[in-house]
Amino acid sequence: MRSISFILRHWTTALGILLLAAVILMALTAHLVFPGDPYDMVGAPLTWPGESADTLLGTDSLGRDMAAGLFYGARVSLLVGFASALVAAIVGVLVGAFAGYYGGWTDDVLMRITELFQTTPQFMLALAVVAVLGPSVTVIILSLSAVSWPAVARLVRGEFMVMRERAFVHGCVVAGMSDLRIIFAQILPNVLPVIIVMSTILVATAILMESALSFLGFGDPNVLTWGTMIGMGRGQLRDAWYIIAIPGVALLLTALALNLVGEGLNDALNPRLKQRKG
Amino acid sequence: MSAPRRNLPFRFIGKRILQAVLTILGIAIINFFLLQLAPGDAAEALAGEAGTADAGYLANLRREFGLDRPLWEQLATFLMRIATFNLGYSFRYGETISTLILSRLPATLLLMATSIVIALVIGILFGVTAARYFNRLPDRLISLVALLFYATPPFWIGLMMILVFSVWLGWAPTGGMRDITAPDGGIAGVFDIARHLALPALTQAFFYLAIYTRLVRAGMLEVLSLDYIRVARAKGISEQRVAYRHALRNAVLPLVTVVGTNIGGFLGGAVLTETVFSWPGIGRLMFDAMLQRDLNLLLSILVLSSVFVVIANLAVDLIYPVINPTVELR
């Protein structure tokens, strides 16, 4: 409870939570607010926002409701963002924990592999995976986790290397506790706050990368996403710029919200980091 | 600066170069297996679905890549081709892939250099200012701007720049690298390219700007509290001079690593900017390769970009001990 009041003292964090809650609400209620298919034509093409009462945010060049696209797009963004961050966090924690705890050649091998994945430019690797395996939500989640886990692994490894030398860990070893139990039941809970903070940033990055993929036309063709909307609106930049502006602002606000929440969580969960940064 | 040269043993350099070669080898192997994952016949995947693949071309590809051979032999062939920079032929473009990539490289390098220089200048200015006005209005404003840039998809910034500066104000062209009517060389030719370069370079710079600003700010905050800064102030040196001449030198050290990473990753990061602005570089080439499912071209670019990263990282590793003599070589 103390940490909740701590979070609320910071208005930027509160703003982040509010924005994020709004996006989550949009995603959850999309099928209730807009029961039809977001790809269906609902009004005259290129209706400007505010021009018609039926489509408050206007329509695109094929008469699709911008607002419906915004709601359904929130679903895809959040699903891809959270799922890929979760996969990346799990893989990163496993690799980082073993590398940091055991050290030696385990560390060498695992870190060399991690470096390989970090060497290929992130977005390019994600693009290539999607190009080879074909665009679908599952492949996109996999490709984004494939490029995000190395950062987690490095962070977790560093934390484990420090924790490994703590007295309580030595105590566990002396007490005859198994390695796995020390890693997951003793050290991991202590490292969790850092992982959680990093994961919120991973979600934001994944959402931005997914939007970039679908902007380029390599998103899942079966779902409408914000990036797809921006990509399809490119042709109308001159006379109907709202088609690009509206989903772009949605993306910006979502990524901003996640970053703000991440910063707030960092202040709340890792007070020693905050002190160090002054 | 003579001390660091003395502790730059050849063993360190040799070890790093060996590591770099091994990394490139590892990446080539990952790419090879990525290609194996492609659904269907590898030759068809390589040829792409652009309708350029006739039976003769497919047979040629199979022979060239040794696709009828066992897997390890295919891998060996693949690695040999990369080592000798014999990357094959792109039917779509009617050129060898190595020529194609080399012809696109200058445009990307120009975009990279310009955008990183812009980001560095503004980032250092912002970072130093924010640190000097820690927790006051300028700091808050700069931090807010940095956060906004960090959270905005770069391709969207690019589109909005086109909207404002090309469509509404008419200051810059919407894309491309030069006008068809513009002269090829001379001052007019350079001016024409600069006009085309402005928006993509700024778009790309915004992306780095956020990171640079944060890094410089954090570095300055740490350095400004050190004793030698207090001494400099006590000597009556102006705040301006203390900040830029004394503190900044030590505060930008972490920036070197990040700029190195950015230079290395640039080929990959440029895909979006180059696509938005039709900039004829490597990123745009990669996008076209994806559209045509020209996997051979795609993976060649991917391997080459990774090699670029490895070289940039190696350069940073070698330069860092020279600019920061306190770092320990291992």
Side-chain angles (χ1 to χ4, degrees):
Chain A
M1 274 299 110
R2 234 194 80 228
S3 63
I4 290 179
S5 67
F6 185 92
I7 288 172
L8 288 179
R9 254 185 275 151
H10 296 264
W11 70 269
T12 50
T13 313
L15 179 70
I17 293 173
L18 217 63
L19 281 172
L20 193 60
V23 179
I24 293 175
L25 194 69
M26 277 166 69
L28 290 179
T29 59
H31 64 290
L32 300 174
V33 185
F34 301 97
D37 186 333
Y39 270 114
D40 283 346
M41 184 170 173
V42 294
L46 299 182
T47 312
W48 275 74
E51 211 177 296
S52 155
D54 293 335
T55 51
L56 276 178
L57 289 178
T59 62
D60 71 0
S61 58
L62 292 173
R64 293 177 290 220
D65 192 347
M66 293 291 296
L70 219 52
F71 272 65
Y72 281 93
R75 275 191 179 176
V76 185
S77 286
L78 291 180
L79 171 69
V80 170
F82 279 97
S84 61
L86 184 69
V87 176
I90 291 174
V91 177
V93 164
L94 285 176
V95 172
F98 285 114
Y101 184 80
Y102 287 110
W105 67 267
T106 316
D107 183 33
D108 274 343
V109 171
L110 289 176
M111 280 302 112
R112 282 297 103 77
I113 297 174
T114 311
E115 269 168 31
L116 282 187
F117 277 86
Q118 271 192 321
T119 306
T120 318
Q122 258 198 343
F123 186 62
M124 229 178 195
L125 183 59
L127 264 178
V129 171
V130 173
V132 169
L133 297 181
S136 73
V137 169
T138 323
V139 169
I140 289 171
I141 290 173
L142 283 179
S143 75
L144 294 181
S145 20
V147 301
S148 324
W149 71 266
V152 184
R154 295 205 145 202
L155 179 85
V156 173
R157 170 183 176 258
E159 295 286 325
F160 264 73
M161 283 169 77
V162 176
M163 286 287 174
R164 177 92 188 70
E165 300 309 322
R166 289 280 195 81
F168 80 94
V169 174
H170 287 307
C172 292
V173 175
V174 172
M177 209 178 265
S178 73
D179 284 348
L180 285 183
R181 224 180 124 194
I182 298 179
I183 291 175
F184 293 110
Q186 300 294 328
I187 303 182
L188 190 60
N190 284 295
V191 181
L192 218 49
V194 192
I195 300 171
I196 291 173
V197 170
M198 176 142 205
S199 300
T200 47
I201 310 297
L202 282 187
V203 176
T205 322
I207 287 177
L208 291 183
M209 278 200 281
E210 187 282 324
S211 76
L213 282 173
S214 38
F215 164 72
L216 290 178
F218 300 109
D220 189 328
N222 301 312
V223 291
L224 189 59
T225 75
W226 295 340
T228 318
M229 293 168 79
I230 298 176
M232 290 190 303
R234 262 183 89 182
Q236 279 81 43
L237 184 61
R238 233 161 249 282
D239 26 69
W241 52 268
Y242 63 88
I243 297 177
I244 289 176
I246 291 173
V249 170
L251 270 170
L252 163 62
L253 291 180
T254 310
L256 186 71
L258 284 160
N259 274 294
L260 292 176
V261 170
E263 274 181 14
L265 281 174
N266 193 34
D267 289 351
L269 298 175
N270 308 323
R272 83 193 149 90
L273 281 182
K274 197 189 166 208
Q275 240 170 30
R276 199 167 66 201
K277 278 179 186 154
Chain B
M1 281 287 141
S2 64
R5 205 163 303 254
R6 210 177 45 226
N7 1 326
L8 249 190
F10 287 108
R11 263 194 62 189
F12 168 75
I13 299 176
K15 199 176 152 196
R16 282 298 144 96
I17 290 178
L18 182 71
Q19 269 180 4
V21 172
L22 285 179
T23 311
I24 293 173
L25 188 71
I27 287 163
I29 294 175
I30 290 185
N31 273 278
F32 176 77
F33 284 107
L34 190 59
L35 195 60
Q36 300 293 320
L37 284 177
D41 177 39
E44 274 163 33
L46 280 170
E49 291 165 2
T52 50
D54 55 48
Y57 177 49
L58 283 181
N60 196 29
L61 267 178
R62 284 208 179 83
R63 202 175 50 247
E64 225 184 300
F65 280 78
L67 293 178
D68 40 1
R69 301 301 178 85
L71 200 64
W72 67 269
E73 230 174 286
Q74 287 184 40
L75 177 61
T77 322
F78 184 81
L79 295 179
M80 266 317 283
R81 295 162 56 91
I82 289 172
T84 53
F85 207 55
N86 167 25
L87 302 170
Y89 190 79
S90 171
F91 267 78
R92 184 77 190 189
Y93 290 94
E95 274 180 288
T96 63
I97 285 177
S98 32
T99 337
L100 204 55
I101 289 178
L102 285 179
S103 70
R104 298 295 192 95
L105 202 54
T108 296
L109 291 180
L110 177 67
L111 180 59
M112 165 177 84
T114 318
S115 59
I116 289 188
V117 167
I118 295 175
L120 270 179
V121 171
I122 305 180
I124 288 178
L125 217 74
F126 273 13
V128 171
T129 312
R132 283 174 66 185
Y133 296 92
F134 178 61
N135 264 344
R136 279 183 279 162
L137 190 63
D139 181 28
R140 304 218 174 224
L141 278 181
I142 287 171
S143 297
L144 180 71
V145 168
L147 185 61
L148 280 178
F149 279 139
Y150 190 72
T152 315
F155 63 90
W156 188 72
I157 296 191
L159 290 171
M160 290 295 119
M161 301 252 282
I162 292 180
L163 178 67
V164 174
F165 295 106
S166 304
V167 176
W168 287 349
L169 298 171
W171 288 354
T174 53
M177 190 167 164
R178 48 173 33 140
D179 277 339
I180 311 165
T181 53
D184 243 0
I187 295 172
V190 171
F191 183 71
D192 180 50
I193 291 183
R195 246 166 44 92
H196 285 82
L197 178 63
L199 292 189
L202 274 176
T203 302
Q204 193 71 33
F206 283 145
F207 179 64
Y208 301 129
L209 184 61
I211 306 167
Y212 295 176
T213 304
R214 286 178 167 198
L215 266 178
V216 173
R217 177 178 175 272
M220 284 294 285
L221 283 179
E222 234 174 273
V223 171
L224 280 177
S225 64
L226 295 181
D227 283 343
Y228 82 95
I229 295 295
R230 193 171 306 148
V231 172
R233 282 186 180 138
K235 282 181 2 192
I237 298 171
S238 76
E239 270 302 301
Q240 187 86 4
R241 205 178 151 83
V242 167
Y244 283 96
R245 296 297 291 262
H246 295 244
L248 186 60
R249 282 178 182 221
N250 285 310
V252 294
L253 284 177
L255 202 59
V256 174
T257 318
V258 176
V259 172
T261 314
N262 287 157
I263 290 177
F266 192 84
L267 295 186
V271 177
L272 287 164
T273 311
E274 289 186 2
T275 307
V276 168
F277 290 97
S278 318
W279 187 258
I282 303 275
R284 174 80 205 180
L285 185 66
M286 183 180 175
F287 174 70
D288 291 338
M290 283 196 65
L291 275 189
Q292 292 142 16
R293 286 194 59 78
D294 188 340
L295 285 189
N296 189 26
L297 177 56
L298 181 71
L299 291 185
S300 301
I301 297 176
L302 195 64
V303 173
L304 197 82
S305 311
S306 314
V307 172
F308 208 66
V309 175
V310 172
I311 294 173
N313 288 349
L314 187 68
V316 169
D317 274 353
L318 297 182
I319 292 171
Y320 205 79
V322 179
I323 54 172
N324 185 8
T326 56
V327 83
E328 222 175 287
L329 299 182
R330 273 186 302 140

